[in-house]
Amino acid sequence: MKDLRIALESILCAGGMPGLCHSLSNQSQQPRKIRGSLKICSKSVIFEPDAISQPIIKIPLRDCIKIGKHGENGANRHFAMAKSGGISLIFSQVYFIKEHNIVAPYKIERGKMEYVFELDVSGKVEDVVETLLQLHRASCLDKLGDQTAMITAILQSRLARTSFDKNRFQSVSEKLHMECKAEMVTPLVTNPGHVCITDTNLYFQPLNGYPKPVVQITLQDVRRIYKRRHGLMPLGLEVFCTEDDLCSDIYLKFYEPQDRDDIYFYIATYLEHHVAERTAESYTLQWQRGHLSNRQYLLHLNNLADRSCNDLSQYPVFPWIISDYCSSELDLSNPGTFRDLSKPVGALNKERLERLLTRYQEMPEPKFMYGSHYSSPGYVLFYLVRIAPEYMLCLQNGRFDNADRMFNSIAETWKNCLDGATDFKELIPEFYGDDVSFLVNSLKLDLGKRQGGQMVDDVELPPWARSPEDFLQKSKDALESTYVSEHLHEWIDLVFGYKQKGSDAVGAHNVFHPLTYEGGVDLNSIEDPNEKVAMLTQILEFGQTPKQLFVTPHPRRITSKFRSLSQTSSYNASTADSPVSPGEESFEDLTEESKTLAWNNITKLQLHEQHKIHKEAVTGIAVSCNGSSVFTTSQDSTLKMFSKESKMLQRSISFSNMALSSCLLLPGDATVISSSWDNNVYFYSIAFGRCQDTLMGHDDAVSKICWHDDRLYSASWDSTVKVWSGVPAEMTGTKRHQFDVLAELEHDVSVDTISLNAASTLLVSGTKEGTVTIWDLTTATILHQIPCHSGTVCDTAFSPDSRHVLSTGEDGCLNVIDVQTGMLISSMASDEPQRCFIWDGNSVLSGSQSGELLVWDLLGGKISERIQGHTGAVTCIWMNEQCSSIITGGEDRQIMFWKLQY
């Protein structure tokens, strides 16, 4: 498709104007009269007859010899005109399109001819003629840049003389918020006009009244909006009224970035429940946890990366998944069935890659490995020729491509992508959709004859596909298969992620021409208009790399094989599930079912009872296994034991005059451990009723403690987290213990909180300066360090499956971090600090500074419920293993007992 040209035509005026077309030849034969609609475009005149048997007439303005009002200077007097006005065009070439309503290569007629367009509204004739003469002068300019500049000036002049017709408002009570000039974008045509936004609707009124007088979108129907690059400039805005559809409801291109941003801000502000533009990371969490399919996730990533079905140069890109197009049966359990998703198409064939790398090494700067891109307008139309033949005809001067270069066979296309010297294309979303139209020649198009003599018709399918429907279904099954779910993140790294650019791209053999990357050229720095247009045309034709969405390795999806890191002995160990007996499995399933039920009803939490037992803020809660005894620590320096059954305070213990910061019960319910601001950790024997040991292990206040498997973990304001051995679950009260430091995890500033994963192979810490650090305890080394809060980190915790860490901070943010990659994959904000929380990986119950309990839906990106609680900040929270009972402590010195009612 070497002669492919990307040139959007704007329909400037007279769109859909009714009238007659009179065809006159050099002979004095009786003229033909055809009724239809006239469109004046930026580079041509188009007449669409009402009768579909008649061809559409397209007259390029550059081929016009003379344009004027009919009858001027005594011309064309051999037939009488009606009372209405007429426009005369004398030209040397005309195209006839879709004769008898059949899509076929254009018929071209050459020679001097004259057509007269007789308008039903004669008052428009002078205006149309004036516009035609201006556009004709533009088309005759030698340089493309000068042509574009003059057409733009003509368009802006027409727009300046018009405004939005307020009579088009749906209601007289609507309040106008903003009006500006813009264009509605479709794959090959842009319609200039006026955008108007009110308190309830978004309107677009085309200057030409085409395809309809007004496009109206009700704001309450809008579900997603995206800012777009259009022609490499930040001018586009795309609006969707559905969650998952591939195509939008309207794509607008503005003339000024500020107009685009103002309209976007107004719509985003109007929308409720945070359904405006979302980050890639917020979708990542939903995808990881199975709430988005692989297909849905790729669609969201394409949208966020500026890919749109309305822009052929930035059409959504999907990967080749299957590599077996020869077998009679498709085996999705065999890894050999699939393409290697860690490599770009150009690197799948080792021999071809070696040749490309040899050329790359010999190439002067700027170097690139591939001479063509994986997504371009030509490739999109290659796949879609059977459902969008007009696009290919329009972009290839009225001709289809050579029959042998058409999209004839799935297997042939795949083979060419593997072996071809310049073919590295990926797929488009239609390969994983439900519409088989692009595979079937249902329009009965004459697409030519191949060298072997066979006509190009339906796409030849692989042997394992019984029908086009079966092919799509099996392709979708492959996309959602376990193998792809385990490896899709590798392809995302190449196309949307950190292997898209720089040294990582070189290492992955993923380097394309510099002009294909966002920021590869600054069009504003090119002063010569002709050079600028030539550069833009080259970029649009060659293809564009998606906007980079991720700069760190993308997390893998959570599948059955990688379900739980908590079952591993260390971070890098095998993640295969350990075998369990059928009885154990059913018990686990029952427990999980009850937990799921509880979290699904967490918004129905109700206060059961409350007790004020401290003189200062409560800082820690621990509960005995049978739930009868509740131990709490406080800034009043006391550890208290409260009986839930008798509702009475049973003990009050003071170790020093300094505040206690946290507490925990060792298994067996015999010993309570408390941390203190006096730098010590105290071991209290419940049976003996006294402090049986003291660990003097830090140089500043101990802020938080955790325990697992005879090891104690203590965080301190002295900037360390220490791991101590010799802390058995059953501590005897007869002798002092020897505490040994196994590891010291050093930080730059004071540590305010720590938490362990279920297997105690990982620890997460949060500091005063807002940094969250994930540690591998088997090696005492840092896995990831993420500065994700502005201010102190209040609380941290791993998800039950150890795949994610959640942190809350003084800045009011809830941040979710992927443990494997360290990527911040979700961030939600509240208007106050969230001091503590519990979560199940999908939902969060947090205690806020104001005393409310907030229920967060992380996957939906919203606060589901606000529950009135304490009169001061909620400072600590505890939940039992069955997730049915919750206790909170607050600055109001109270402990509150909550129950789920469902």
Side-chain angles (χ1 to χ4, degrees):
M1 299 186 183
K2 295 179 180 178
D3 58 349
L4 182 110
R5 292 290 178 266
I6 301 296
L8 288 178
E9 276 220 69
S10 295
I11 304 178
L12 266 70
C13 69
M17 278 200 309
L20 294 172
C21 172
H22 302 261
S23 173
L24 309 177
S25 64
N26 290 330
Q27 290 79 25
S28 58
Q29 63 190 47
Q30 185 66 27
R32 291 186 297 121
K33 295 183 180 182
I34 306 167
R35 174 160 288 279
S37 298
L38 180 68
K39 298 185 181 72
I40 309 302
C41 303
S42 53
K43 297 180 180 180
S44 60
V45 175
I46 294 176
F47 182 78
E48 289 194 14
D50 292 343
I52 61 173
S53 60
Q54 295 291 337
I56 296 170
I57 299 166
K58 179 177 180 179
I59 305 169
L61 286 167
R62 67 176 181 271
D63 294 326
C64 288
I65 300 168
K66 186 175 181 181
I67 298 171
K69 290 175 65 177
H70 176 70
E72 286 183 336
N73 303 320
N76 307 314
R77 291 174 177 167
H78 56 272
F79 72 92
M81 288 293 299
K83 292 181 181 179
S84 56
I87 302 164
S88 169
L89 266 65
I90 301 174
F91 49 87
S92 59
Q93 184 169 263
V94 63
Y95 294 90
F96 297 103
I97 304 169
K98 286 187 74 173
E99 190 167 11
H100 303 297
N101 202 34
I102 296 173
V103 179
Y106 300 170
K107 292 182 179 179
I108 304 174
E109 189 173 320
R110 295 182 175 89
K112 188 175 181 180
M113 292 163 277
E114 179 182 9
Y115 278 13
V116 175
F117 299 96
E118 183 184 330
L119 305 184
D120 288 355
V121 183
S122 58
K124 288 190 174 183
V125 171
E126 289 191 5
D127 179 46
V128 174
V129 169
E130 180 185 351
T131 302
L132 281 171
L133 289 171
Q134 292 173 341
L135 292 170
H136 179 248
R137 284 195 293 273
S139 70
C140 293
L141 295 173
D142 292 334
K143 296 181 178 179
L144 190 58
D146 295 336
Q147 289 182 26
T148 302
M150 186 170 179
I151 290 170
T152 301
I154 295 167
L155 172 58
Q156 292 300 319
S157 174
R158 292 193 65 83
L159 284 170
R161 298 198 302 269
T162 58
S163 62
F164 186 87
D165 180 5
K166 308 301 187 296
N167 292 321
R168 295 287 184 178
F169 282 177
Q170 290 290 301
S171 168
V172 292
S173 62
E174 281 187 72
K175 294 179 182 178
L176 175 65
H177 179 75
M178 178 181 172
E179 180 183 346
C180 62
K181 298 176 286 186
E183 297 176 9
M184 186 173 72
V185 179
T186 56
L188 293 176
V189 176
T190 65
N191 284 282
H194 296 274
V195 169
C196 186
I197 192 162
T198 70
D199 54 343
T200 55
N201 291 292
L202 172 68
Y203 296 97
F204 177 76
Q205 185 172 32
L207 184 65
N208 45 63
Y210 181 85
K212 53 185 179 180
V214 169
V215 178
Q216 178 242 331
I217 292 176
T218 305
L219 292 182
Q220 68 179 16
D221 292 340
V222 175
R223 290 294 171 268
R224 295 177 289 141
I225 53 174
Y226 298 97
K227 293 179 180 179
R228 295 277 185 239
R229 280 182 305 161
H230 187 275
L232 303 190
M233 303 294 286
L235 299 171
L237 182 71
E238 196 159 20
V239 180
F240 292 78
C241 291
T242 57
E243 287 294 346
D244 297 315
D245 275 7
L246 184 59
C247 297
S248 63
D249 290 80
I250 193 169
Y251 186 142
L252 296 169
K253 174 218 163 185
F254 296 81
Y255 298 109
E256 297 295 335
Q258 190 61 51
D259 287 342
R260 189 275 305 268
D261 292 345
D262 288 346
I263 293 284
Y264 172 85
F265 178 78
Y266 186 80
I267 298 175
T269 303
Y270 178 90
L271 299 181
E272 299 176 354
H273 307 305
H274 309 284
V275 294
E277 186 177 25
R278 297 180 62 165
T279 63
E281 290 82 5
S282 66
Y283 288 119
T284 302
L285 181 62
Q286 294 186 56
W287 171 72
Q288 271 196 294
R289 296 205 164 273
H291 290 255
L292 286 177
S293 67
N294 291 337
R295 179 179 181 274
Q296 288 172 320
Y297 185 50
L298 289 177
L299 285 176
H300 284 306
L301 294 185
N302 272 284
N303 266 320
L304 290 164
D306 278 340
R307 314 302 283 191
S308 168
C309 291
N310 286 305
D311 187 347
L312 294 178
S313 68
Q314 296 189 98
Y315 203 82
V317 57
F318 267 57
W320 284 97
I321 292 295
I322 299 168
S323 64
D324 178 5
Y325 295 100
C326 302
S327 301
S328 58
E329 295 293 332
L330 188 66
D331 183 3
L332 296 182
S333 64
N334 178 12
T337 299
F338 299 94
R339 164 256 183 104
D340 185 346
L341 289 164
S342 69
K343 298 177 181 178
V345 169
L348 293 175
N349 182 324
K350 186 178 179 181
E351 292 179 2
R352 179 178 65 176
L353 178 62
E354 288 175 354
R355 295 194 299 269
L356 292 168
L357 290 178
T358 300
R359 189 191 67 172
Y360 172 76
Q361 288 154 7
E362 297 170 351
M363 187 182 293
E365 294 292 344
K367 294 184 174 185
F368 54 92
M369 296 178 185
Y370 307 113
S372 65
H373 204 257
Y374 53 76
S375 176
S376 71
Y379 292 155
V380 174
L381 296 183
F382 169 84
Y383 290 128
L384 297 181
V385 64
R386 288 166 178 81
I387 55 172
E390 294 97 332
Y391 293 177
M392 181 177 282
L393 292 172
C394 182
L395 295 182
Q396 295 206 147
N397 297 317
R399 301 188 302 272
F400 288 125
D401 201 2
N402 180 281
D404 286 295
R405 292 201 299 266
M406 284 286 204
F407 180 31
N408 293 303
S409 158
I410 304 287
E412 276 184 23
T413 303
W414 169 246
K415 186 177 186 303
N416 204 47
C417 289
L418 283 182
D419 303 334
T422 60
D423 193 349
F424 314 108
K425 60 178 171 284
E426 293 278 10
L427 298 181
I428 56 176
E430 282 78 359
F431 277 81
Y432 304 101
D434 299 315
D435 188 354
V436 300
S437 301
F438 77 104
L439 299 170
V440 181
N441 187 16
S442 57
L443 297 176
K444 302 302 178 186
L445 301 170
D446 182 359
L447 299 173
K449 184 181 293 186
R450 304 187 66 182
Q451 287 184 351
Q454 66 271 40
M455 296 297 294
V456 176
D457 197 24
D458 296 347
V459 177
E460 183 182 335
L461 303 174
W464 46 258
R466 298 186 301 272
S467 65
E469 290 79 8
D470 187 49
F471 171 77
L472 288 190
Q473 184 58 55
K474 286 176 177 171
S475 296
K476 286 188 289 184
D477 292 344
L479 181 61
E480 305 302 334
S481 66
T482 300
Y483 177 89
V484 174
S485 292
E486 291 170 2
H487 294 277
L488 187 58
H489 63 283
E490 298 171 333
W491 186 83
I492 292 171
D493 284 336
L494 295 169
V495 177
F496 301 106
Y498 82 108
K499 291 183 179 179
Q500 189 192 87
K501 298 177 182 177
S503 58
D504 291 305
V506 175
H509 306 130
N510 194 38
V511 182
F512 295 85
H513 195 284
L515 289 180
T516 68
Y517 296 95
E518 183 179 24
V521 62
D522 181 8
L523 287 178
N524 290 326
S525 67
I526 303 175
E527 296 182 0
D528 186 321
N530 299 297
E531 184 183 345
K532 181 183 290 188
V533 169
M535 180 69 72
L536 178 60
T537 302
Q538 180 183 353
I539 292 168
L540 296 183
E541 289 178 9
F542 190 84
Q544 296 177 68
T545 300
K547 179 193 294 182
Q548 188 174 26
L549 300 178
F550 307 101
V551 293
T552 57
H554 191 281
R556 74 167 80 235
R557 194 174 197 190
I558 300 172
T559 62
S560 56
K561 182 177 177 182
F562 299 101
R563 183 169 60 242
S564 178
L565 284 175
S566 64
Q567 296 175 337
T568 65
S569 57
S570 73
Y571 180 72
N572 294 312
S574 168
T575 52
D577 293 343
S578 57
V580 293
S581 70
E584 289 174 320
E585 189 170 26
S586 62
F587 176 76
E588 286 179 5
D589 290 345
L590 187 62
T591 305
E592 287 303 313
E593 189 176 330
S594 66
K595 289 179 180 179
T596 302
L597 182 62
W599 276 101
N600 287 344
N601 290 275
I602 198 74
T603 56
K604 299 174 183 175
L605 200 64
Q606 290 188 357
L607 181 60
H608 185 58
E609 55 188 79
Q610 61 196 82
H611 304 276
K612 186 178 288 187
I613 59 173
H614 283 282
K615 295 179 181 179
E616 297 292 341
V618 182
T619 57
I621 301 171
V623 182
S624 60
C625 288
N626 61 10
S628 62
S629 298
V630 179
F631 297 85
T632 56
T633 50
S634 169
Q635 288 183 5
D636 65 10
S637 77
T638 64
L639 167 68
K640 294 188 185 288
M641 179 177 173
F642 181 83
S643 171
K644 191 176 178 185
E645 294 175 352
S646 65
K647 299 180 176 30
M648 293 182 65
L649 187 64
Q650 294 183 318
R651 299 184 193 180
S652 181
I653 308 101
S654 184
F655 304 110
S656 73
N657 60 356
M658 298 287 283
L660 298 179
S661 55
S662 68
C663 63
L664 60 84
L665 258 175
L666 290 179
D669 293 347
T671 305
V672 182
I673 309 178
S674 302
S675 57
S676 173
W677 285 6
D678 67 2
N679 313 352
N680 298 329
V681 177
Y682 296 97
F683 296 80
Y684 175 78
S685 170
I686 300 171
F688 288 95
R690 63 179 174 82
C691 179
Q692 66 191 72
D693 221 330
T694 303
L695 171 59
M696 296 178 283
H698 287 278
D699 299 324
D700 206 337
V702 182
S703 54
K704 184 77 179 286
I705 51 174
C706 299
W707 181 92
H708 186 268
D709 198 17
D710 294 351
R711 292 182 181 180
L712 182 72
Y713 304 82
S714 59
S716 171
W717 294 354
D718 67 6
S719 306
T720 66
V721 174
K722 293 183 179 179
V723 184
W724 306 88
S725 65
V727 188
E730 298 290 341
M731 293 189 69
T732 62
T734 57
K735 65 175 183 177
R736 309 288 284 184
H737 287 79
Q738 177 66 39
F739 302 109
D740 297 318
V741 177
L742 288 178
E744 188 168 323
L745 313 179
E746 295 186 354
H747 297 69
D748 295 329
V749 294
S750 64
V751 184
D752 282 74
T753 183
I754 56 171
S755 182
L756 297 169
N757 73 331
S760 293
T761 54
L762 303 175
L763 178 143
V764 59
S765 59
T767 69
K768 182 176 71 173
E769 292 186 350
T771 299
V772 173
T773 306
I774 301 173
W775 299 82
D776 181 352
L777 292 176
T778 61
T779 57
T781 56
I782 293 175
L783 287 175
H784 306 290
Q785 200 163 39
I786 309 100
C788 56
H789 290 281
S790 55
T792 301
V793 180
C794 297
D795 201 2
T796 58
F798 285 89
S799 58
D801 61 7
S802 300
R803 294 303 302 267
H804 298 117
V805 161
L806 178 68
S807 63
T808 59
E810 282 186 343
D811 55 6
C813 289
L814 267 75
N815 293 328
V816 181
I817 299 162
D818 180 75
V819 171
Q820 180 200 6
T821 62
M823 180 188 288
L824 179 65
I825 60 172
S826 179
S827 184
M828 294 176 61
S830 62
D831 53 8
E832 59 179 337
Q834 301 302 307
R835 297 282 295 273
C836 56
F837 69 86
I838 47 177
W839 75 313
D840 71 338
N842 299 324
S843 301
V844 180
L845 179 66
S846 68
S848 66
Q849 184 70 28
S850 65
E852 284 185 317
L853 294 179
L854 271 55
V855 179
W856 302 73
D857 175 7
L858 290 178
L859 302 178
K862 62 185 179 182
I863 296 174
S864 304
E865 191 69 48
R866 292 176 179 269
I867 304 167
Q868 292 301 316
H870 295 263
T871 54
V874 185
T875 50
C876 50
I877 188 168
W878 172 90
M879 175 186 266
N880 67 343
E881 189 177 353
Q882 292 75 31
C883 306
S884 58
S885 178
I886 292 168
I887 305 174
T888 58
E891 282 186 347
D892 59 3
R893 299 165 287 173
Q894 296 194 98
I895 56 172
M896 292 186 172
F897 294 82
W898 304 81
K899 283 192 175 181
L900 286 172
Q901 304 293 330
Y902 57 90

